[in-house]
Amino acid sequence: MDNYYMRQALGIAQYATGRTSPNPLVGAVIVKDGHIVGQGWHRQAGTPHAEIHALAQAGELAKGATIYVTLEPCSHYGRTGPCTDALIEAGIKKAVVAMTDPNPEVSGNGLTRLRSAGIEVVEGILAAEAAKLNEVFIKWITTGMPFGVLKTAMSLDGKIAAYTGHSQWITGSSARAYVHKLRDIYDGILVGSGTVLADDPLLTSRLPEGGQNPVRIIVDSMARTPLTANVITDKQAPTLIAVSQAAPLEKVAALRGHGVEVLVLEQTPQGLNLRQLFKILGERHITSIFVEGGATINASLLAANLIDKVYCFIAPKIIGGQTALSPVGGTGVERVDQAILLEDITTQTIGTDILVNGYITGREGRDVYRTCGRIR
């Protein structure tokens, strides 16, 4: 029954997807005499944790009960008090935990605290599922770098636009609606200046039921983004533009004068220092970046090892054209056996399009995912 109740906890943890950053997603279920007497999930950073919600619902029934929690209970003071203390005070008899918290401030200390109080602790129940649930948090808390997600849409013959540059629309309405759901769950959305100049996108999450907009990040080494661009004028979300030291000072000043934050980054032989950009974003607790750029920025981010996950939509249409762009530009690899590989791949049909979703092998954080979740 441990697996059954842990699946319940994993399920309710997902209710807050995209809302807890920079904290993890956590679900908790309290069981007594074969019945669920309390459940809860962490809803937003700075608010009570999942265990506290579950204990409140269980009340006196928590005494002598078993709690199933998807992540090790915290044992330190942050914006809220230690969950371990609350569990001990409530008289919990047994704690079944999916995975140890990779946060160095916790990292096993919570489990030790529970055991010291005489609470039976069982670890590793559905650990792989728990690690995948918190892939963003694990990458950020262990490396300080945001979890990079690359989304692209291409035709059956691998084109993201016609030879003229026309690209609307490669995929159907169902796939585009799905992308808005993805925008709703990640902290930041990133494109290059070429995308802004060609498409003048909003880069917002336009869901019928409402949603949250990610921070808009434009990689624009020469500050070419026009002051009339939607990302500057609509004021629906913060916009950050990364430029190089060579960017004209008057353009930088004009952007700042319109309420845009401008970051001046180092220039490398390959272009703007994107690792520096991601490091700064991570320090600001922007834990995930959703990339919707073109061939140039996609290639640069992949070359810099900043992409962890890929969403690739494939439309059942053929565009053709030797000069029509593919999703990833740059020089490419010399040999096919040098290609970037994906693992843990899933596929699904969305409307008339096919979505291929997978993780790039050998990226920062993957070893940690395996350790936390025993992914093999």
Side-chain angles (χ1 to χ4, degrees):
M1 293 299 289
D2 282 353
N3 281 17
Y4 172 80
Y5 290 122
M6 188 61 76
R7 289 197 189 282
Q8 301 298 309
L10 288 166
I12 62 175
Q14 296 180 65
Y15 292 162
T17 298
R19 299 298 182 266
T20 63
S21 181
N23 287 359
L25 292 164
V26 184
V29 171
I30 298 175
V31 178
K32 189 170 188 178
D33 299 328
H35 298 283
I36 294 176
V37 296
Q39 58 184 354
W41 63 94
H42 183 43
R43 304 183 182 194
Q44 188 176 9
T47 66
H49 291 183
E51 299 94 321
I52 305 305
H53 285 297
L55 287 172
Q57 192 176 100
E60 292 298 321
L61 293 175
K63 188 172 183 179
T66 297
I67 187 167
Y68 293 83
V69 61
T70 59
L71 187 70
E72 174 186 6
C74 65
S75 55
H76 66 292
Y77 283 90
R79 283 183 278 186
T80 59
C83 290
T84 51
D85 291 359
L87 295 175
I88 293 166
E89 291 171 10
I92 288 290
K93 181 181 179 181
K94 179 179 178 181
V96 181
V97 179
M99 61 173 280
T100 303
D101 191 339
N103 184 345
E105 293 187 322
V106 184
S107 194
N109 293 327
L111 302 183
T112 298
R113 177 82 179 94
L114 293 177
R115 288 188 173 111
S116 297
I119 295 175
E120 180 186 354
V121 176
V122 176
E123 302 176 58
I125 304 299
L126 301 186
E129 289 89 337
K132 189 167 186 179
L133 176 71
N134 276 311
E135 60 192 14
V136 168
F137 174 73
I138 292 171
K139 166 72 180 291
W140 175 74
I141 201 67
T142 58
T143 69
M145 298 288 278
F147 187 83
V149 181
L150 175 62
K151 168 260 162 182
T152 191
M154 66 181 186
S155 62
L156 198 59
D157 58 336
K159 308 297 184 182
I160 61 172
Y163 76 92
T164 59
H166 184 265
S167 61
Q168 295 181 340
W169 296 100
I170 298 291
T171 55
S173 58
S174 296
R176 297 198 299 274
Y178 188 93
V179 169
H180 282 279
K181 292 181 180 179
L182 293 175
R183 290 180 179 182
D184 175 64
I185 66 174
Y186 292 113
D187 291 349
I189 183 169
L190 183 149
V191 299
S193 58
T195 295
V196 174
L197 293 170
D199 301 332
D200 192 20
L202 291 167
L203 303 181
T204 54
S205 175
R206 299 183 293 282
L207 297 173
E209 66 274 20
Q212 65 181 8
N213 293 325
V215 176
R216 298 178 292 202
I217 304 153
I218 317 299
V219 177
D220 182 6
S221 60
M222 296 305 293
R224 297 188 301 159
T225 301
L227 300 180
T228 55
N230 282 320
V231 293
I232 293 177
T233 62
D234 73 353
K235 308 302 180 184
Q236 293 187 50
T239 296
L240 184 155
I241 297 181
V243 305
S244 71
Q245 296 171 341
L249 296 179
E250 64 277 11
K251 289 189 176 182
V252 170
L255 289 169
R256 287 174 171 157
H258 279 71
V260 174
E261 180 179 4
V262 180
L263 282 180
V264 181
L265 302 181
E266 300 169 355
Q267 188 79 12
T268 72
Q270 292 73 39
L272 215 55
N273 190 333
L274 297 177
R275 290 197 69 83
Q276 181 190 15
L277 172 61
F278 270 52
K279 184 175 185 295
I280 292 170
L281 295 173
E283 290 169 350
R284 296 185 178 192
H285 290 188
I286 296 175
T287 65
S288 56
I289 307 294
F290 187 59
V291 180
E292 286 199 68
T296 300
I297 193 68
N298 290 349
S300 297
L301 290 164
L302 287 165
N305 294 338
L306 293 171
I307 299 300
D308 298 280
K309 188 174 186 177
V310 174
Y311 287 93
C312 180
F313 293 88
I314 304 171
K317 57 185 67 171
I318 296 173
I319 293 175
Q322 290 185 352
T323 60
L325 290 174
S326 66
V328 181
T331 56
V333 298
E334 294 181 356
R335 297 170 49 86
V336 172
D337 57 13
Q338 297 172 331
I340 294 172
L341 299 177
L342 297 187
E343 60 184 3
D344 299 339
I345 299 165
T346 61
T347 60
Q348 64 185 107
T349 301
I350 298 179
T352 58
D353 305 306
I354 296 171
L355 171 60
V356 178
N357 176 214
Y359 298 84
I360 294 181
T361 59
R363 289 298 191 253
E364 283 181 289
R366 286 302 281 170
D367 288 341
V368 181
Y369 308 153
R370 291 184 174 93
T371 301
C372 292
R374 300 182 178 90
I375 299 172
R376 292 179 174 86

